Amino acid sequence: MKRIFTFMAALVACVAAIAQPGARELTVWSSHLEATDEADVYRVIFTGKIEDGYHTYTMTDEFSATEFMDVNVSDCELVGEPYEISTPKDVVDEFGDQAKHYYGEIIIAQNIKVTGPAPVFSGTIFTNTCNTGSCQPGYHDFSISVNAADAVMPIESGQDDADGVTGSEKKSRGHIWALILEAILWGFAMLLTPCVFPMVPMTVSFFMKGSENVAQGRFKASMYGLFIVMLYTLPISIIIMLTKLIGGDAVTADIFNWLSTHWLPNIIFFIVFMVFAASFFGAFEITLPQSLVNRSDKGSDRKGLAGVFFMALTLVLVSFSCTGPIVGSVLIKSTQGEFWEPMVTMLAFSIAFALPFTVLAFSPSLLKKFKKSGGGWLNSVKVVLGFVELALGLKFLSVADQTYHWGILDREVYLAIWIVIFTLLGLYLLGKIRFAHDEPVEHLSVTRLSLAIAVFSFVVYLIPGMWGAPLKALSGYMPPITTQDFVMGSGPVQSSESDCTICEDFVSESAEKYGLHLPLDLKGYFDLEEGLEAAKKAGKPVFVDVTGHGCVNCREMESRVWSAPQVLDMLKNDFVIVALYTDDKQKLDKEDWVTDAETGKVYKDLGRANSYTARTLWNVNAQPNYVLLSPEGDLLVPVRGYDLSVEGFTDFLRSGLDAYSAE
């Protein structure tokens, strides 16, 4: 009787709501399209955002089920029944009965198979959105173009009665501004990354030697910023256009993967940084070859711009191993039906990225008016920056070392070099070391003393790392702790087989085969199929870590988020872990080669095979990304990327466990 009463009350509320034209929608729907493993089969996913204080019902509710109505298909066919992706909350309703409600969000889906040239899936979603006192029915009309050739992303329709604007138009307006804001923030944040920050002293040093007058210096500084923006935006725009015309993102993804992880560009960048450091120490002056200058331009003005362009090009190339993830994400969007948004987003990113360097380029030309006679303080600045270049340039050698498993820069070796470099820097600041162009330090200024205290404090912070201290503040700069031979209190970090929490007889053939290890003494697999099989035996969901040896943000996530007790406990006990290194250069056995289904290209090394897997299965082309799967390989919740929120990551893991339990 109570359920019947609820139904009647809801029916009355529905009639009342229908009688009020222009009523505010309490559940707002959007949609997008995903490819599946099966040829010509796509999954149309509908996401309903539910207003705070309200709830809606499952697709199997007895009285108020969410459902598809008036479904029509053209040049395609339905595959199976519609189904729920999100997990409802178990509640006790106002009558004391057990019920399942959705709060905040409901996600449902329908699989579609393309059978003709112009596939369209249309219909209406009915949902009843209620609170304790009233209900409002909702009817969302949709028409989805299932474009198999272009793999179209979110396409929505449905008229908004209040203002005559379609749902997709509203979403795109807000979406593009959100993307632009995010890109701007990323552009500023890139300044602090280990492969971008070392370019600061290069910029300062280059423009310190700049023009003979302030006006010319400002012009060159402005052109420097413009060149940076152009070098980021124009090539990406061309790539997006070619991708749009030709189709497929495998080639462009391979190019960017090669640039950021291959030993050749990384060794070149490492050498460039060492050469600049030597120049800062006074060994020689760096100038462009005269022949190159003559070929570029015979005039003095264009000669100057050639040098400015060279500096901008160096910045863009050197910084790419850190900016690569965001560029990769933009490119992925361009292959999913978005065309203008990636270009606008990249323009916003590059302007924000270039702005700090443009300001730094302005500053030396302005400071020249205040330059003191002798210029000794300027040489001291160059020497200090030379030490910084020397330390941070090691990151490029470390990337190559990790991806190719050379074993040159293990963590303790890297730390030892840093300790020596910064100790020498501290002694230099105290005047105990002098270079050829330095003036004698007759007395210690407050500035030098403050910097020396900061540097020696940093050295003291580094020293415990030689015995395995995590050094979380530097986790993105350091090689992973799994490369360290000795950690005090635990012995060799790679010998903890007895601590396995997956099963008593844990064996990872992929770990032994590739010589890879997870951080924090975690146990897992480095092959997706092996991990899925282990998950079936253990009866646990799968945690897939899309990562890389040269990924700065991956190390930060492991050190700052994974290490949190609540996160580490769930990773150890509730999931089977699979780590897919997308930049590992190890050659695969012939039987493990992966063939691109679209291009026929064969991937013969571990990194590119893993990159193809992540790209095709989960639409992921950046690091880090985290994927929660059922043992059958089905996605449990949306993929999560780089985010240092421990609470957010904990909620992400719990949502995956809840979704797995509900299956």
Side-chain angles (χ1 to χ4, degrees), residues 254 590 592-596 599-605 608-609:
D254 284 345
K590 189 171 183 179
D592 296 327
W593 290 357
V594 175
T595 302
D596 192 313
T599 66
K601 187 171 183 178
V602 179
Y603 301 112
K604 301 180 181 180
D605 60 72
R608 287 199 293 173

Side-chain angles (χ1 to χ4, degrees), residues 320-530:
F320 196 83
S321 60
C322 283
T323 59
I326 188 172
V327 173
S329 298
V330 168
L331 287 176
I332 274 294
K333 287 187 177 182
S334 72
T335 65
Q336 295 171 341
E338 303 292 350
F339 185 69
W340 292 109
E341 286 186 8
M343 299 185 203
V344 174
T345 304
M346 185 53 62
L347 178 63
F349 168 80
S350 59
I351 291 174
F353 178 74
L355 185 60
F357 288 96
T358 306
V359 172
L360 288 170
F362 264 89
S363 299
S365 59
L366 295 174
L367 288 172
K368 289 180 73 174
K369 295 186 297 183
F370 308 104
K371 182 177 178 181
K372 297 179 180 179
S373 60
W377 67 279
L378 288 174
N379 190 72
S380 296
V381 170
K382 286 180 61 179
V383 172
V384 170
L385 295 178
F387 280 109
V388 175
E389 289 284 308
L390 199 62
L392 297 182
L394 290 172
K395 179 63 182 175
F396 297 101
L397 179 59
S398 177
V399 169
D401 181 58
Q402 292 298 312
T403 55
Y404 288 90
H405 305 278
W406 294 337
I408 299 173
L409 278 182
D410 289 347
R411 189 172 184 267
E412 65 269 29
V413 176
Y414 197 103
L415 277 169
I417 296 174
W418 268 38
I419 289 170
V420 170
I421 289 173
F422 286 102
T423 299
L424 292 174
L425 173 56
L427 293 174
Y428 174 80
L429 291 169
L430 292 176
K432 303 300 182 183
I433 298 175
R434 284 177 55 196
F435 288 86
H437 302 292
D438 282 325
E439 296 178 353
V441 179
E442 298 179 357
H443 59 86
L444 199 61
S445 67
V446 174
T447 300
R448 276 183 172 263
L449 177 61
S450 300
L451 290 173
I453 291 173
V455 169
F456 281 120
S457 298
F458 181 63
V459 171
V460 173
Y461 174 77
L462 290 175
I463 291 174
M466 295 293 292
W467 289 273
L471 305 181
K472 291 185 178 182
L474 299 172
S475 55
Y477 294 78
M478 296 286 110
I481 199 168
T482 52
T483 66
Q484 189 149 334
D485 293 331
F486 174 73
V487 176
M488 182 175 289
S490 64
V493 297
Q494 301 169 2
S495 63
S496 55
E497 295 291 337
S498 61
D499 296 333
C500 171
T501 56
I502 299 175
C503 58
E504 292 184 1
D505 300 319
F506 170 76
V507 175
S508 174
E509 294 181 1
S510 54
E512 297 176 1
K513 184 176 184 178
Y514 301 123
L516 297 172
H517 304 274
L518 292 172
L520 306 171
D521 286 346
L522 290 166
K523 295 299 169 185
Y525 304 88
F526 301 90
D527 176 84
L528 182 59
E529 293 302 321
E530 184 186 18

